Amino acid sequence: MKNIRALIERDVEEFVALRRDLHQHPELAFNEIRTGGIVADLLEKWGYKVERNIGTTGIVGQLCNGEASAAIGLRADMDALPILEATGLPYASVNSGVMHACGHDGHTTMLLAAAKALAERRNFSGTVNLIFQPAEEYGRPDSGAARMVADGLFEKFPCDAVFGIHNMPGSPQGQLQFYDGAMMASSDSVSIKITGRGGHGAQPHTTADPIVATAAIVMALQTVVARNVNPLDAAVVTVGVMQAGMANNVIPETAQIELTVRCFKPEVRDLLEDRIRDLVATQAQSFGVKADIDYVRGYPALQNSTEETEFAREVGKRFAAEGNFVAQTTPMTGSEDFAFMLEKRPGSYIFLGNGDQPGPVSRALHNDGFDFNDANIVEGAAYWVALTEEFLNGNTGRKD
């Protein structure tokens, strides 16, 4: 492992500069043209067979070595968020209103650093597929991972298993965290339009008030989890948008609410949708108004397979510094579209501690002060190399 780290540390300045360049030039979902071009050009330079524009703007680099048929997939996301950066860093975003506030610039750089080391070492027998994915932040069922899968990702580039890494703010820098099972929640979006009959606020008896009906629906929605879901199963129903009216003496004709719905089990997902639909319809009927529901299923729950997670965990146990390793971390109700890939292939998603940095430059995700911890370029890339070589060599091949 020491030799792997030393090789990546040799080029660390090159990759820090690359990460900061990507941070300075962020691109939104399905617009990762510059980023994808840099990725593809570097992979080709290092000897990878490259295919561009998979699932719109996705890139895959493939490297084969030796005679073995085993194949592994490693995935990094490339897109940024529609956030105005406030870090004040010299490499802050030059694209106003767009920034890398989730560390995808770091994820891309870690995998590129690993790509260079894997190509130079060639200490494996089999096939490495490096998946650079667009539009993880898209938040819709046709996200980057879903589109790459639909575009034949695993038919064109067969993988026995696929792995991903995400930085984790607040955890010690470089700490590897694993979880077998449902690690991240499904995420569904619900938009509800309540239509009544508007009128003068001084004559409410002549109206069918959508605001009162909406308030009742919001309160009733709080019972969906509390009184329908098994207390041992985690679920979240959150009303994040509530809009109605323009004047205090006018009862409007319509009101709008929007929800996020999250859980870990498919059967709970079905239950939540059924109960939300029934509850909204009956509440609306009781107030004499109409409810139109647009229920969109987004990302599925991210399900790490047991065998592949145990393998990744064992590699991490040998790789991580003493005490900087969590064998079974806590699931989180955030969502991640790598789940679409894990529905098609076994594998595991791994958290990598990003440290903690209070102040104007922070480690909090989706924050206008976020910055990826460059110390993780070496840690993440070296772990990728160790994981790949051990997976393809079956723990019996060439060693470091």
Side-chain angles (χ1 to χ4, degrees), residues 157-179:
F157 302 95
C159 297
D160 297 313
V162 62
F163 298 88
I165 289 179
H166 200 292
N167 75 94
M168 181 53 61
S171 296
Q173 184 270 316
Q175 183 181 77
L176 289 166
Q177 302 177 5
F178 303 87
Y179 189 86

Side-chain angles (χ1 to χ4, degrees), residues 1 11 136 217 279 303 360 373 394:
M1 303 277 184
D11 299 325
E136 190 282 322
I217 289 170
L279 184 149
Q303 185 79 32
N373 193 331

Side-chain angles (χ1 to χ4, degrees), residues 21-181:
D21 175 77
L22 295 177
H23 187 91
Q24 194 170 29
H25 301 90
E27 296 169 303
L28 294 175
F30 299 120
N31 288 285
E32 305 91 344
I33 307 303
R34 181 182 185 273
T35 304
I38 291 171
V39 167
D41 289 347
L42 286 173
L43 292 175
E44 287 176 341
K45 175 183 175 182
W46 298 328
Y48 285 77
K49 172 188 173 184
V50 173
E51 184 163 341
R52 305 172 189 237
N53 303 320
I54 301 176
T56 307
T57 48
I59 305 289
V60 176
Q62 185 179 76
L63 185 66
C64 301
N65 193 60
E67 301 298 327
S69 61
I72 188 173
L74 308 180
R75 174 268 202 177
D77 35 19
M78 300 188 292
D79 59 320
L81 283 154
I83 295 175
L84 181 65
E85 183 163 353
T87 63
L89 292 166
Y91 51 88
S93 172
V94 296
N95 298 335
S96 181
V98 183
M99 76 168 289
H100 273 295
C102 201
H104 296 185
D105 50 341
H107 302 164
T108 296
T109 304
M110 289 191 307
L111 192 51
L112 284 172
K116 185 177 183 181
L118 285 165
E120 184 169 336
R121 285 168 60 85
R122 292 187 179 267
N123 187 35
F124 64 88
S125 183
T127 299
V128 180
N129 296 308
L130 304 183
I131 304 165
F132 292 84
Q133 181 211 300
E136 190 282 322
E137 303 286 3
Y138 200 52
R140 304 173 198 173
D142 60 338
S143 68
R147 290 196 194 183
M148 290 190 81
V149 169
D151 201 15
L153 172 65
F154 294 123
E155 289 73 35
K156 297 173 183 175
F157 302 95
C159 297
D160 297 313
V162 62
F163 298 88
I165 289 179
H166 200 292
N167 75 94
M168 181 53 61
S171 296
Q173 184 270 316
Q175 183 181 77
L176 289 166
Q177 302 177 5
F178 303 87
Y179 189 86
D180 57 81

Side-chain angles (χ1 to χ4, degrees), residues 68 70 123-126 311 315 318 386-399:
N123 187 35
F124 64 88
S125 183
F311 172 78
V315 175
R318 295 189 294 275
L387 180 81
T388 299
E389 292 183 353
E390 292 202 32
F391 184 90
L392 294 178
N393 292 332
N395 293 313
T396 60
R398 293 163 290 180
K399 297 297 180 182

Side-chain angles (χ1 to χ4, degrees), residues 188 190 192 216-231 233-239 257 259-263 267-283 293 295:
D188 301 330
V190 189
I192 303 169
I217 289 170
V218 170
M219 294 307 296
L221 285 170
Q222 308 311 306
T223 70
V224 171
V225 173
R227 290 298 177 267
N228 293 273
V229 178
N230 188 321
D233 293 328
V236 174
V237 176
T238 294
V239 179
I257 56 174
L259 291 63
T260 184
V261 181
R262 298 166 185 261
C263 64
E267 60 269 27
V268 175
R269 197 180 193 186
D270 292 339
L271 171 66
L272 291 170
E273 180 172 356
D274 289 343
R275 289 300 300 129
I276 289 170
R277 287 185 179 276
D278 289 346
L279 184 149
V280 170
T282 54
Q283 285 283 324
I293 303 172
Y295 204 109

Side-chain angles (χ1 to χ4, degrees), residues 16 111 135 297 301 307 321 335 388:
V16 168
L111 192 51
R297 291 206 172 193
E307 183 177 342
S335 61
T388 299

